[in-house]
Structure formats: structure tokens, C-alpha cells
Amino acid sequence: MNRRVFAIALGIAICLLPLVSNAYWTDVCVSIGIYALLALSLNVILGQAGIFHMGHAAFFAVGAYVTGVCNTIQHIPILWLMPVSGLAAAVFAYLVARPIIHLRGDYLLVVTIGIVEIVRIALLNDLFGLTGGSNGTFGIARPEFLGFRIVKGIHFYYLVWGMVGATLLLFHGLWRSRFGRALNCIKEDDIASECCGIDVSGYKLAAFVLGAFWAGMAGTVYAAKMTTIAPESFNFMESVIVFAVVILSGGSQLGVLVSTFLFIGLPELLREFASARMLLFGLAMMGMMIWRPQGLLPPLARRYGGGLKSAAPDAMKDGPP
Amino acid sequence: MSLLAVREMTKAFGGLMAVNDLSFEVEQGSIVGMIGPNGAGKTTVFNCITGNYVPEAGDIEFDGRPIKGVRPHRIVELGIARTFQTIRLFGRLTVLENVLAGRHCRMKAGLLACMFHGRAMQREEREAVRRCMEELEFLGLADRRGEAAGGLSYGNQRLLEIARALATEPKLLILDEPAGGMNAQETDALIEVIRAIRARGVTILLIEHDMRLVMQVSERLVVLENGSLIAEGTPEHVRRHPAVIEAYLGSSDGRW
């Protein structure tokens, strides 16, 4: 199937969806959008650079809590807090990733799991007396944009999916640049990358910091949408879900969107099967592993000027990182 | 003046002295071959020069600067590029993108420029692609640019590694067994390639077991055994050197 046609159709469907669906499904799609932001940002780290990072919920939590605390205590408007939260998550990511960035594969994975747990437990213990312990932070204000208050589900829908759209464009640019190529080289062979002049730990760190910035901004939207945030929303399972979304996607941005819909949307669709839904979901995952181990939609070839085609279409057949 | 000077370098792995008090120099514009029996420490010497290992003692000076302990990617920026004994290409990326990886260190676009694709960034990309295509043409791989690098023949993969190294605009090119796995014709072609690279003003240091290639292209040879220098000089001189003959053929004093 032609991916471009599919992408355009998906884009139009996303734009029109809230006009025809009910409030419940609009809400579900808002949370799909937030997960999409998280998964797209994790895709830079995990899908592009091949860094096994299973602690993305930690950066999401930092963003959400910075927003929550600054808004409820200092009453700073939400949209101002979006870059601040992104920056806070990015700084946090830099500090925790700097000493561990040289770790490889599963070793790094274990440390990132540690990070997400440490963050959750710190929040649970009412960090600096600001985070409200297990009750969390509540009464977070709604975002306001030029006097327009974003309150209803449909407002959030367009805010979130607008952000997803901008993210897609910017990250696509990144993928088509020396930055994106460097991350792919690091994923393939980090020693060879270092020896042909790529600052491997610098780029790994940059991928982390960038991904965390985005996760922090997603945290702001989440906090504003929920108005209440609690440590349990940022547990290890959330990290695993986002991780699985990226692995399932195959690494392309379109793949990430599709697999987010499958992962977050499908369980909602299967709700009437009640207890059997996780079973169905598990079967679907097993089917994927058997028939499509390379993921849903692996990235296509990059194109270079003068019709110079880059990757052979089956260049990525070997499966997920 | 010599481009590369290794002085009293020592590198040990636990109790094993891989390189022991080794000194040699590589003149600007020359082709120097490094030979020696298996396990003599040749690749370790290369890894110390390119920053993959840090020697315990001694100094390495490149282009008038000390480079001991400098990280590998910085050494590439300073002008030393290498290929690997066991091919290390980015197998699932294309031929062109492998060369672009070598070009990376001569490009400047930062994170934001890469995201927004400003005009300067696009110009730099076009220029990089043009330069890399030139390198591919130089090595006869231009029409394979869109193929996955892992699908190339062994000989072509070796050439592609050289193209990737050349894309970094090196002053010194270090080749670790470039003819490994090549047939006789490919080796002949490689000899021409090595001479053509030197004609471009690039100094070459190579490890090679194919004596025909080493004797034909090298102007000077450095012979290692058990991590120490046992002979140095022109191929003619080295060929007749008693220590070299002993290292390769065993001693002639009737011990065996």
C-alpha cells in the first residue's frame, strides 16, 4: 500500500474525527495523542538511536509535576509552563543520563527502569513537600490561549493533535539530516560510528535530552487535561507501554502513530469483552512477533537530491532493535 | 617533518605486553607498511593511534600535537581515519549513507538546524552528498549508492570502508588488512587505489599480510614481533634483515 496516501487519509481522519464522534471517544483520542507524543519522542531515542530506554515515564512525570506544582503554587499560566516543563525534564534527563550513557543494551535498560521507579517513589514521598504524596497535585488550571480557555475534550483534542502534527514535521526533518543519520549509525555499530568521527556519547545524550524535552511538554498537556496528577500515573507500566509502542511501530513515525492507536485504542474497543481483552491483546502481540518481526512500518529510504535514492526498501528487514 | 610520531609506547592487557616500548615515525606523504606475525600487536598499535585504546606509557604525536588520550571521534576530526580488520560498515544503511557518516564530522548543522532545515543546512547537505558521490566514484562504487551496504561483495565492502574514511578528509589513512578476503584481481585494483590515495596527498599507514601488496606499495616497513620493533626500513632492507627472517621462518640456529 502506498504510505503517502495512507498517511494523508489518516491525517484527514484525525482532523475530522471529533466532529463526528462522541465525547467519550474524543477523550480516548486525546489520551492516544498524549501517548503519541511520548512514543514519537521515545522513537528518537529507541527507534532511531537504538538506546534501550524504558524509563520515559520519568521524564513525562517531571514535566507533569513541574507544571502542576508551578501552576498550583505560583499560578503561572499553563502554556507558559510548557517550555519550562520541557526544559526541566531535559535538564533532569541530562543529569541522570550523563553518568550512564556509555552503558550498553540491557545494562542501560535496567538503569532506566531504576530511574522511573526512583521518580515515582520520590513523588510518592511528597518530594520537598511540594508534590502532595500519593494524593498527588490537584486543582491544576486549564490552559488559556489568547483569552480562549481550553476546557472541553474537543479543545484538548486539537491542542494535542496539533502538537503531534508539529512533532511529526520537526522529527521528520531531524530524521532527514546528519543528526538522524548519526543516530542510525550509532544504532548499527557504535564503535564504527565513533571511529568515523561521530561523537557517540554526545549524540546519545542529545537524543535523550531531546526526547525528554518532548516528554516534559507532553506532561504539561496531561496535567492540564487531568487537572489532577498522582504518582501512580507514571509507573513502570506506562514506560513499558510506550516502549512497546515504539518497538511495535518498526521505527517510522507513521508506524508510531498506527501502533499508538492499536495499543491505546484497541483495549478501549475491546472493553466489552471485559476480562478477555488482555488475552486478545496478547494474542495480537504474538501474531505480530511471528508475522511481522520488523515492526509495523519500518522507515522508508531517505531521498537525496538529484533522485539519489538512499536505503533499499528492504534494508531494515532484520526486525526491531 | 614526520606526520605521525609514536614514542616509547607501551600497552598491556593484564599481564600481556601487547605493545612494548615501541617508537616509529611516519613521514608526511609516505606509504608505510606494518608487518609482523599474528599476535605481534599491530592492530593494538592502530587502536592506540586512533584513540580506541589509551597506551599506559609513551607519547603519540600527530601533526605536531599530542593525541594520546584524545577520544576517537576527535582524532578523526584532527585528520586520522581508519578502516577495520573485520569490516565494520553500517550494514543496513545504504552505500551513500555509509560515506555520509564519514562526512558527518566535517558538517556543522546543529540540532535546531537539522529540525528546521534552514537554507544553510540544505546547502551543507547538498555539498556533503556531492563530496561523498565523488568518493564513491573514486572507488568505483557510485552506481551502487542506493544498495544496502551489507549486500555488497566482500571486496566492495572493503572499498566502501575506504570511501567512508576518505570522506572525513584525513591527512593520515590507517588501513587494517585492506586486502583481507580479496582475490588477486581485487588486490591489484587495491594497489592502484592506495597509490591514487597517496597521489591525493594522503599519508598511508597499513597493516597487511599479503606480502605482494606490502612489498609493492610500501616505501618503508615497520616490523613488529611480540609488541616490539624488530626492524625498520625499505622493503629491500627488511626482506634481508635476519631478525625478520627469523620472526617469519623460525631461527636458523638449528634449535628445531
Side-chain angles (χ1 to χ4, degrees), chain B residues 117-160:
Chain B
H117 279 245
R119 204 170 278 168
M121 181 273 180
Q122 290 189 23
R123 199 181 316 120
E124 186 184 69
E125 276 284 301
R126 275 197 301 274
E127 174 62 19
V129 170
R130 193 187 61 73
R131 266 301 309 252
C132 291
M133 283 309 297
E134 281 176 11
E135 296 300 349
L136 284 175
E137 267 154 36
F138 179 71
L139 290 156
L141 291 170
D143 51 348
R144 315 294 291 270
R145 62 179 177 251
E147 293 174 29
L152 293 182
S153 71
Y154 213 68
N156 280 338
Q157 292 196 13
R158 291 238 176 253
L159 293 180
L160 181 54

mmCIF file of all heavy atoms in Angstrom, chain B residues 117-160:
data_model
loop_
_atom_site.group_PDB
_atom_site.id
_atom_site.type_symbol
_atom_site.label_atom_id
_atom_site.label_comp_id
_atom_site.label_asym_id
_atom_site.label_seq_id
_atom_site.Cartn_x
_atom_site.Cartn_y
_atom_site.Cartn_z
ATOM 1 N N HIS B 117 15.635 22.555 8.894
ATOM 2 C CA HIS B 117 16.135 22.515 7.514
ATOM 3 C C HIS B 117 16.274 23.910 6.903
ATOM 4 O O HIS B 117 15.696 24.192 5.855
ATOM 5 C CB HIS B 117 15.219 21.650 6.626
ATOM 6 C CG HIS B 117 15.512 20.188 6.765
ATOM 7 N ND1 HIS B 117 15.988 19.432 5.738
ATOM 8 C CD2 HIS B 117 15.408 19.373 7.818
ATOM 9 C CE1 HIS B 117 16.158 18.183 6.163
ATOM 10 N NE2 HIS B 117 15.820 18.130 7.419
ATOM 11 N N GLY B 118 17.016 24.750 7.579
ATOM 12 C CA GLY B 118 17.262 26.096 7.054
ATOM 13 C C GLY B 118 18.095 26.038 5.785
ATOM 14 O O GLY B 118 18.567 24.975 5.380
ATOM 15 N N ARG B 119 18.262 27.201 5.170
ATOM 16 C CA ARG B 119 18.923 27.202 3.870
ATOM 17 C C ARG B 119 20.384 26.760 3.971
ATOM 18 O O ARG B 119 20.862 25.974 3.148
ATOM 19 C CB ARG B 119 18.828 28.599 3.254
ATOM 20 C CG ARG B 119 18.953 28.516 1.755
ATOM 21 C CD ARG B 119 18.621 29.822 1.103
ATOM 22 N NE ARG B 119 17.184 29.992 0.951
ATOM 23 C CZ ARG B 119 16.632 31.155 0.627
ATOM 24 N NH1 ARG B 119 17.363 32.230 0.483
ATOM 25 N NH2 ARG B 119 15.330 31.247 0.466
ATOM 26 N N ALA B 120 21.083 27.231 5.003
ATOM 27 C CA ALA B 120 22.497 26.855 5.160
ATOM 28 C C ALA B 120 22.633 25.352 5.341
ATOM 29 O O ALA B 120 23.533 24.716 4.785
ATOM 30 C CB ALA B 120 23.095 27.586 6.360
ATOM 31 N N MET B 121 21.699 24.786 6.124
ATOM 32 C CA MET B 121 21.739 23.346 6.369
ATOM 33 C C MET B 121 21.519 22.573 5.077
ATOM 34 O O MET B 121 22.224 21.597 4.799
ATOM 35 C CB MET B 121 20.666 22.998 7.411
ATOM 36 C CG MET B 121 20.584 21.540 7.795
ATOM 37 S SD MET B 121 19.503 20.617 6.685
ATOM 38 C CE MET B 121 19.625 18.993 7.398
ATOM 39 N N GLN B 122 20.570 23.042 4.252
ATOM 40 C CA GLN B 122 20.306 22.333 2.996
ATOM 41 C C GLN B 122 21.495 22.410 2.058
ATOM 42 O O GLN B 122 21.824 21.447 1.369
ATOM 43 C CB GLN B 122 19.071 22.918 2.313
ATOM 44 C CG GLN B 122 17.794 22.598 3.063
ATOM 45 C CD GLN B 122 16.556 22.992 2.280
ATOM 46 O OE1 GLN B 122 16.578 23.108 1.072
ATOM 47 N NE2 GLN B 122 15.473 23.235 3.008
ATOM 48 N N ARG B 123 22.142 23.580 2.042
ATOM 49 C CA ARG B 123 23.314 23.733 1.183
ATOM 50 C C ARG B 123 24.407 22.769 1.635
ATOM 51 O O ARG B 123 25.046 22.103 0.827
ATOM 52 C CB ARG B 123 23.809 25.186 1.238
ATOM 53 C CG ARG B 123 24.701 25.554 0.052
ATOM 54 C CD ARG B 123 25.192 26.996 0.132
ATOM 55 N NE ARG B 123 24.171 27.951 0.515
ATOM 56 C CZ ARG B 123 24.216 28.732 1.599
ATOM 57 N NH1 ARG B 123 25.236 28.661 2.427
ATOM 58 N NH2 ARG B 123 23.246 29.579 1.865
ATOM 59 N N GLU B 124 24.589 22.708 2.955
ATOM 60 C CA GLU B 124 25.610 21.813 3.500
ATOM 61 C C GLU B 124 25.310 20.351 3.152
ATOM 62 O O GLU B 124 26.213 19.596 2.796
ATOM 63 C CB GLU B 124 25.657 21.988 5.018
ATOM 64 C CG GLU B 124 26.771 21.236 5.693
ATOM 65 C CD GLU B 124 26.723 21.354 7.200
ATOM 66 O OE1 GLU B 124 25.790 20.787 7.815
ATOM 67 O OE2 GLU B 124 27.613 21.999 7.763
ATOM 68 N N GLU B 125 24.037 19.959 3.233
ATOM 69 C CA GLU B 125 23.642 18.590 2.873
ATOM 70 C C GLU B 125 23.982 18.297 1.416
ATOM 71 O O GLU B 125 24.570 17.262 1.110
ATOM 72 C CB GLU B 125 22.128 18.400 3.052
ATOM 73 C CG GLU B 125 21.689 18.073 4.449
ATOM 74 C CD GLU B 125 21.971 16.626 4.836
ATOM 75 O OE1 GLU B 125 21.483 15.714 4.171
ATOM 76 O OE2 GLU B 125 22.697 16.432 5.811
ATOM 77 N N ARG B 126 23.586 19.231 0.533
ATOM 78 C CA ARG B 126 23.839 19.003 -0.899
ATOM 79 C C ARG B 126 25.330 18.860 -1.168
ATOM 80 O O ARG B 126 25.769 17.990 -1.908
ATOM 81 C CB ARG B 126 23.277 20.167 -1.726
ATOM 82 C CG ARG B 126 21.799 20.030 -2.056
ATOM 83 C CD ARG B 126 21.424 20.960 -3.201
ATOM 84 N NE ARG B 126 21.692 22.355 -2.895
ATOM 85 C CZ ARG B 126 20.841 23.147 -2.249
ATOM 86 N NH1 ARG B 126 19.676 22.685 -1.844
ATOM 87 N NH2 ARG B 126 21.149 24.410 -1.995
ATOM 88 N N GLU B 127 26.097 19.732 -0.524
ATOM 89 C CA GLU B 127 27.542 19.711 -0.698
ATOM 90 C C GLU B 127 28.122 18.376 -0.189
ATOM 91 O O GLU B 127 28.992 17.783 -0.831
ATOM 92 C CB GLU B 127 28.149 20.901 0.060
ATOM 93 C CG GLU B 127 29.656 20.957 0.099
ATOM 94 C CD GLU B 127 30.286 21.083 -1.271
ATOM 95 O OE1 GLU B 127 29.566 21.484 -2.215
ATOM 96 O OE2 GLU B 127 31.479 20.759 -1.401
ATOM 97 N N ALA B 128 27.600 17.916 0.938
ATOM 98 C CA ALA B 128 28.084 16.652 1.513
ATOM 99 C C ALA B 128 27.782 15.493 0.574
ATOM 100 O O ALA B 128 28.635 14.632 0.338
ATOM 101 C CB ALA B 128 27.451 16.412 2.878
ATOM 102 N N VAL B 129 26.561 15.471 0.028
ATOM 103 C CA VAL B 129 26.191 14.390 -0.881
ATOM 104 C C VAL B 129 27.097 14.426 -2.110
ATOM 105 O O VAL B 129 27.587 13.386 -2.566
ATOM 106 C CB VAL B 129 24.702 14.503 -1.291
ATOM 107 C CG1 VAL B 129 24.377 13.530 -2.417
ATOM 108 C CG2 VAL B 129 23.809 14.240 -0.087
ATOM 109 N N ARG B 130 27.375 15.634 -2.606
ATOM 110 C CA ARG B 130 28.235 15.755 -3.787
ATOM 111 C C ARG B 130 29.635 15.214 -3.480
ATOM 112 O O ARG B 130 30.188 14.406 -4.230
ATOM 113 C CB ARG B 130 28.322 17.237 -4.206
ATOM 114 C CG ARG B 130 28.912 17.463 -5.578
ATOM 115 C CD ARG B 130 29.125 18.944 -5.847
ATOM 116 N NE ARG B 130 30.046 19.572 -4.897
ATOM 117 C CZ ARG B 130 31.363 19.388 -4.894
ATOM 118 N NH1 ARG B 130 31.912 18.601 -5.782
ATOM 119 N NH2 ARG B 130 32.134 19.978 -3.985
ATOM 120 N N ARG B 131 30.182 15.621 -2.350
ATOM 121 C CA ARG B 131 31.516 15.155 -1.960
ATOM 122 C C ARG B 131 31.562 13.630 -1.818
ATOM 123 O O ARG B 131 32.507 12.977 -2.253
ATOM 124 C CB ARG B 131 31.912 15.760 -0.606
ATOM 125 C CG ARG B 131 32.714 17.032 -0.638
ATOM 126 C CD ARG B 131 34.024 16.895 -1.370
ATOM 127 N NE ARG B 131 34.850 15.762 -0.938
ATOM 128 C CZ ARG B 131 35.951 15.862 -0.241
ATOM 129 N NH1 ARG B 131 36.397 17.040 0.101
ATOM 130 N NH2 ARG B 131 36.637 14.796 0.098
ATOM 131 N N CYS B 132 30.523 13.098 -1.198
ATOM 132 C CA CYS B 132 30.504 11.652 -0.965
ATOM 133 C C CYS B 132 30.354 10.889 -2.271
ATOM 134 O O CYS B 132 30.937 9.817 -2.440
ATOM 135 C CB CYS B 132 29.380 11.287 0.001
ATOM 136 S SG CYS B 132 29.699 11.892 1.656
ATOM 137 N N MET B 133 29.583 11.446 -3.208
ATOM 138 C CA MET B 133 29.456 10.787 -4.509
ATOM 139 C C MET B 133 30.808 10.783 -5.225
ATOM 140 O O MET B 133 31.147 9.821 -5.912
ATOM 141 C CB MET B 133 28.392 11.486 -5.366
ATOM 142 C CG MET B 133 26.962 11.166 -4.972
ATOM 143 S SD MET B 133 26.614 9.401 -4.840
ATOM 144 C CE MET B 133 26.892 8.879 -6.525
ATOM 145 N N GLU B 134 31.574 11.869 -5.030
ATOM 146 C CA GLU B 134 32.920 11.892 -5.626
ATOM 147 C C GLU B 134 33.779 10.758 -5.082
ATOM 148 O O GLU B 134 34.490 10.098 -5.828
ATOM 149 C CB GLU B 134 33.607 13.229 -5.334
ATOM 150 C CG GLU B 134 33.146 14.350 -6.240
ATOM 151 C CD GLU B 134 33.786 15.674 -5.846
ATOM 152 O OE1 GLU B 134 34.736 15.676 -5.017
ATOM 153 O OE2 GLU B 134 33.322 16.710 -6.352
ATOM 154 N N GLU B 135 33.702 10.536 -3.779
ATOM 155 C CA GLU B 135 34.485 9.457 -3.182
ATOM 156 C C GLU B 135 34.028 8.104 -3.719
ATOM 157 O O GLU B 135 34.845 7.220 -3.966
ATOM 158 C CB GLU B 135 34.382 9.464 -1.657
ATOM 159 C CG GLU B 135 34.960 10.687 -0.957
ATOM 160 C CD GLU B 135 36.448 10.898 -1.233
ATOM 161 O OE1 GLU B 135 37.097 10.000 -1.803
ATOM 162 O OE2 GLU B 135 36.956 11.970 -0.885
ATOM 163 N N LEU B 136 32.705 7.956 -3.884
ATOM 164 C CA LEU B 136 32.198 6.684 -4.411
ATOM 165 C C LEU B 136 32.664 6.477 -5.844
ATOM 166 O O LEU B 136 32.999 5.363 -6.249
ATOM 167 C CB LEU B 136 30.669 6.643 -4.325
ATOM 168 C CG LEU B 136 30.113 6.388 -2.920
ATOM 169 C CD1 LEU B 136 28.600 6.491 -2.915
ATOM 170 C CD2 LEU B 136 30.539 5.019 -2.413
ATOM 171 N N GLU B 137 32.673 7.565 -6.629
ATOM 172 C CA GLU B 137 33.170 7.441 -8.000
ATOM 173 C C GLU B 137 34.652 7.074 -7.996
ATOM 174 O O GLU B 137 35.100 6.246 -8.787
ATOM 175 C CB GLU B 137 32.940 8.750 -8.770
ATOM 176 C CG GLU B 137 31.627 8.731 -9.530
ATOM 177 C CD GLU B 137 31.080 10.124 -9.750
ATOM 178 O OE1 GLU B 137 31.907 11.038 -9.975
ATOM 179 O OE2 GLU B 137 29.850 10.292 -9.686
ATOM 180 N N PHE B 138 35.406 7.696 -7.093
ATOM 181 C CA PHE B 138 36.834 7.426 -6.971
ATOM 182 C C PHE B 138 37.089 5.934 -6.744
ATOM 183 O O PHE B 138 38.048 5.367 -7.255
ATOM 184 C CB PHE B 138 37.385 8.253 -5.803
ATOM 185 C CG PHE B 138 38.850 8.077 -5.529
ATOM 186 C CD1 PHE B 138 39.799 8.587 -6.394
ATOM 187 C CD2 PHE B 138 39.275 7.406 -4.390
ATOM 188 C CE1 PHE B 138 41.148 8.429 -6.135
ATOM 189 C CE2 PHE B 138 40.621 7.250 -4.126
ATOM 190 C CZ PHE B 138 41.558 7.760 -5.006
ATOM 191 N N LEU B 139 36.203 5.287 -5.996
ATOM 192 C CA LEU B 139 36.386 3.874 -5.696
ATOM 193 C C LEU B 139 35.510 2.966 -6.559
ATOM 194 O O LEU B 139 35.434 1.753 -6.320
ATOM 195 C CB LEU B 139 36.118 3.619 -4.212
ATOM 196 C CG LEU B 139 37.226 4.237 -3.365
ATOM 197 C CD1 LEU B 139 36.761 4.524 -1.970
ATOM 198 C CD2 LEU B 139 38.449 3.335 -3.330
ATOM 199 N N GLY B 140 34.831 3.563 -7.532
ATOM 200 C CA GLY B 140 34.042 2.756 -8.460
ATOM 201 C C GLY B 140 32.784 2.167 -7.874
ATOM 202 O O GLY B 140 32.333 1.102 -8.302
ATOM 203 N N LEU B 141 32.223 2.858 -6.879
ATOM 204 C CA LEU B 141 31.012 2.322 -6.245
ATOM 205 C C LEU B 141 29.796 3.218 -6.461
ATOM 206 O O LEU B 141 28.746 3.007 -5.847
ATOM 207 C CB LEU B 141 31.242 2.156 -4.730
ATOM 208 C CG LEU B 141 32.220 1.070 -4.305
ATOM 209 C CD1 LEU B 141 32.526 1.187 -2.819
ATOM 210 C CD2 LEU B 141 31.654 -0.310 -4.605
ATOM 211 N N ALA B 142 29.951 4.216 -7.354
ATOM 212 C CA ALA B 142 28.895 5.237 -7.473
ATOM 213 C C ALA B 142 27.544 4.644 -7.852
ATOM 214 O O ALA B 142 26.515 5.046 -7.317
ATOM 215 C CB ALA B 142 29.305 6.297 -8.491
ATOM 216 N N ASP B 143 27.541 3.660 -8.738
ATOM 217 C CA ASP B 143 26.230 3.133 -9.149
ATOM 218 C C ASP B 143 25.635 2.153 -8.146
ATOM 219 O O ASP B 143 24.543 1.655 -8.336
ATOM 220 C CB ASP B 143 26.318 2.505 -10.549
ATOM 221 C CG ASP B 143 27.463 1.521 -10.646
ATOM 222 O OD1 ASP B 143 28.299 1.515 -9.716
ATOM 223 O OD2 ASP B 143 27.532 0.759 -11.621
ATOM 224 N N ARG B 144 26.355 1.903 -7.056
ATOM 225 C CA ARG B 144 25.799 1.037 -6.003
ATOM 226 C C ARG B 144 25.256 1.873 -4.852
ATOM 227 O O ARG B 144 24.889 1.316 -3.818
ATOM 228 C CB ARG B 144 26.887 0.108 -5.457
ATOM 229 C CG ARG B 144 27.766 -0.556 -6.485
ATOM 230 C CD ARG B 144 27.016 -1.531 -7.350
ATOM 231 N NE ARG B 144 26.582 -2.716 -6.626
ATOM 232 C CZ ARG B 144 27.325 -3.822 -6.517
ATOM 233 N NH1 ARG B 144 28.524 -3.860 -7.039
ATOM 234 N NH2 ARG B 144 26.853 -4.865 -5.878
ATOM 235 N N ARG B 145 25.214 3.195 -5.014
ATOM 236 C CA ARG B 145 24.924 4.098 -3.891
ATOM 237 C C ARG B 145 23.641 3.780 -3.134
ATOM 238 O O ARG B 145 23.547 4.004 -1.939
ATOM 239 C CB ARG B 145 24.865 5.534 -4.386
ATOM 240 C CG ARG B 145 23.752 5.734 -5.413
ATOM 241 C CD ARG B 145 23.665 7.149 -5.878
ATOM 242 N NE ARG B 145 22.641 7.238 -6.895
ATOM 243 C CZ ARG B 145 22.884 7.438 -8.179
ATOM 244 N NH1 ARG B 145 24.107 7.646 -8.598
ATOM 245 N NH2 ARG B 145 21.892 7.474 -9.034
ATOM 246 N N GLY B 146 22.614 3.254 -3.838
ATOM 247 C CA GLY B 146 21.332 3.030 -3.187
ATOM 248 C C GLY B 146 21.177 1.662 -2.550
ATOM 249 O O GLY B 146 20.170 1.368 -1.938
ATOM 250 N N GLU B 147 22.206 0.824 -2.681
ATOM 251 C CA GLU B 147 22.080 -0.524 -2.133
ATOM 252 C C GLU B 147 22.455 -0.554 -0.656
ATOM 253 O O GLU B 147 23.240 0.259 -0.193
ATOM 254 C CB GLU B 147 23.015 -1.483 -2.893
ATOM 255 C CG GLU B 147 22.601 -1.681 -4.332
ATOM 256 C CD GLU B 147 23.610 -2.511 -5.097
ATOM 257 O OE1 GLU B 147 24.284 -3.357 -4.476
ATOM 258 O OE2 GLU B 147 23.725 -2.297 -6.313
ATOM 259 N N ALA B 148 21.909 -1.525 0.049
ATOM 260 C CA ALA B 148 22.299 -1.701 1.452
ATOM 261 C C ALA B 148 23.765 -2.142 1.479
ATOM 262 O O ALA B 148 24.170 -3.029 0.727
ATOM 263 C CB ALA B 148 21.419 -2.745 2.112
ATOM 264 N N ALA B 149 24.553 -1.513 2.350
ATOM 265 C CA ALA B 149 25.988 -1.792 2.381
ATOM 266 C C ALA B 149 26.275 -3.255 2.700
ATOM 267 O O ALA B 149 27.224 -3.838 2.182
ATOM 268 C CB ALA B 149 26.670 -0.892 3.402
ATOM 269 N N GLY B 150 25.420 -3.870 3.523
ATOM 270 C CA GLY B 150 25.631 -5.255 3.910
ATOM 271 C C GLY B 150 25.512 -6.230 2.746
ATOM 272 O O GLY B 150 25.972 -7.364 2.837
ATOM 273 N N GLY B 151 24.914 -5.761 1.640
ATOM 274 C CA GLY B 151 24.720 -6.647 0.494
ATOM 275 C C GLY B 151 25.865 -6.621 -0.503
ATOM 276 O O GLY B 151 25.869 -7.390 -1.461
ATOM 277 N N LEU B 152 26.848 -5.752 -0.291
ATOM 278 C CA LEU B 152 27.977 -5.677 -1.225
ATOM 279 C C LEU B 152 28.889 -6.890 -1.071
ATOM 280 O O LEU B 152 28.897 -7.537 -0.024
ATOM 281 C CB LEU B 152 28.811 -4.417 -0.968
ATOM 282 C CG LEU B 152 28.169 -3.062 -1.247
ATOM 283 C CD1 LEU B 152 29.192 -1.975 -0.967
ATOM 284 C CD2 LEU B 152 27.666 -2.947 -2.667
ATOM 285 N N SER B 153 29.668 -7.162 -2.115
ATOM 286 C CA SER B 153 30.645 -8.233 -2.008
ATOM 287 C C SER B 153 31.728 -7.824 -1.005
ATOM 288 O O SER B 153 31.884 -6.646 -0.685
ATOM 289 C CB SER B 153 31.286 -8.491 -3.357
ATOM 290 O OG SER B 153 32.146 -7.422 -3.687
ATOM 291 N N TYR B 154 32.467 -8.813 -0.536
ATOM 292 C CA TYR B 154 33.500 -8.559 0.469
ATOM 293 C C TYR B 154 34.486 -7.486 0.009
ATOM 294 O O TYR B 154 34.788 -6.539 0.733
ATOM 295 C CB TYR B 154 34.224 -9.873 0.739
ATOM 296 C CG TYR B 154 34.693 -10.002 2.146
ATOM 297 C CD1 TYR B 154 33.781 -10.136 3.182
ATOM 298 C CD2 TYR B 154 36.044 -9.990 2.442
ATOM 299 C CE1 TYR B 154 34.210 -10.252 4.476
ATOM 300 C CE2 TYR B 154 36.483 -10.107 3.742
ATOM 301 C CZ TYR B 154 35.558 -10.236 4.753
ATOM 302 O OH TYR B 154 35.994 -10.343 6.037
ATOM 303 N N GLY B 155 34.975 -7.635 -1.210
ATOM 304 C CA GLY B 155 35.939 -6.673 -1.740
ATOM 305 C C GLY B 155 35.359 -5.271 -1.811
ATOM 306 O O GLY B 155 36.028 -4.299 -1.435
ATOM 307 N N ASN B 156 34.110 -5.176 -2.267
ATOM 308 C CA ASN B 156 33.482 -3.860 -2.338
ATOM 309 C C ASN B 156 33.222 -3.264 -0.962
ATOM 310 O O ASN B 156 33.283 -2.048 -0.781
ATOM 311 C CB ASN B 156 32.177 -3.935 -3.127
ATOM 312 C CG ASN B 156 32.426 -3.928 -4.622
ATOM 313 O OD1 ASN B 156 33.476 -3.478 -5.076
ATOM 314 N ND2 ASN B 156 31.470 -4.439 -5.377
ATOM 315 N N GLN B 157 32.930 -4.128 0.012
ATOM 316 C CA GLN B 157 32.753 -3.601 1.369
ATOM 317 C C GLN B 157 34.053 -2.982 1.872
ATOM 318 O O GLN B 157 34.044 -1.944 2.539
ATOM 319 C CB GLN B 157 32.300 -4.713 2.318
ATOM 320 C CG GLN B 157 30.898 -5.202 2.004
ATOM 321 C CD GLN B 157 30.287 -6.007 3.140
ATOM 322 O OE1 GLN B 157 30.791 -6.025 4.248
ATOM 323 N NE2 GLN B 157 29.182 -6.653 2.845
ATOM 324 N N ARG B 158 35.179 -3.620 1.539
ATOM 325 C CA ARG B 158 36.483 -3.054 1.945
ATOM 326 C C ARG B 158 36.682 -1.693 1.293
ATOM 327 O O ARG B 158 37.142 -0.747 1.923
ATOM 328 C CB ARG B 158 37.616 -3.997 1.539
ATOM 329 C CG ARG B 158 37.639 -5.275 2.328
ATOM 330 C CD ARG B 158 38.993 -5.428 3.028
ATOM 331 N NE ARG B 158 39.021 -6.601 3.872
ATOM 332 C CZ ARG B 158 38.981 -6.543 5.211
ATOM 333 N NH1 ARG B 158 38.928 -5.396 5.823
ATOM 334 N NH2 ARG B 158 39.013 -7.644 5.919
ATOM 335 N N LEU B 159 36.328 -1.594 -0.006
ATOM 336 C CA LEU B 159 36.471 -0.311 -0.697
ATOM 337 C C LEU B 159 35.545 0.731 -0.088
ATOM 338 O O LEU B 159 35.912 1.900 0.049
ATOM 339 C CB LEU B 159 36.167 -0.477 -2.191
ATOM 340 C CG LEU B 159 37.163 -1.316 -2.983
ATOM 341 C CD1 LEU B 159 36.733 -1.401 -4.441
ATOM 342 C CD2 LEU B 159 38.570 -0.718 -2.889
ATOM 343 N N LEU B 160 34.338 0.293 0.272
ATOM 344 C CA LEU B 160 33.392 1.249 0.861
ATOM 345 C C LEU B 160 33.922 1.776 2.193
ATOM 346 O O LEU B 160 33.770 2.965 2.505
ATOM 347 C CB LEU B 160 32.025 0.584 1.043
ATOM 348 C CG LEU B 160 30.917 1.473 1.622
ATOM 349 C CD1 LEU B 160 30.755 2.746 0.812
ATOM 350 C CD2 LEU B 160 29.599 0.722 1.700
#
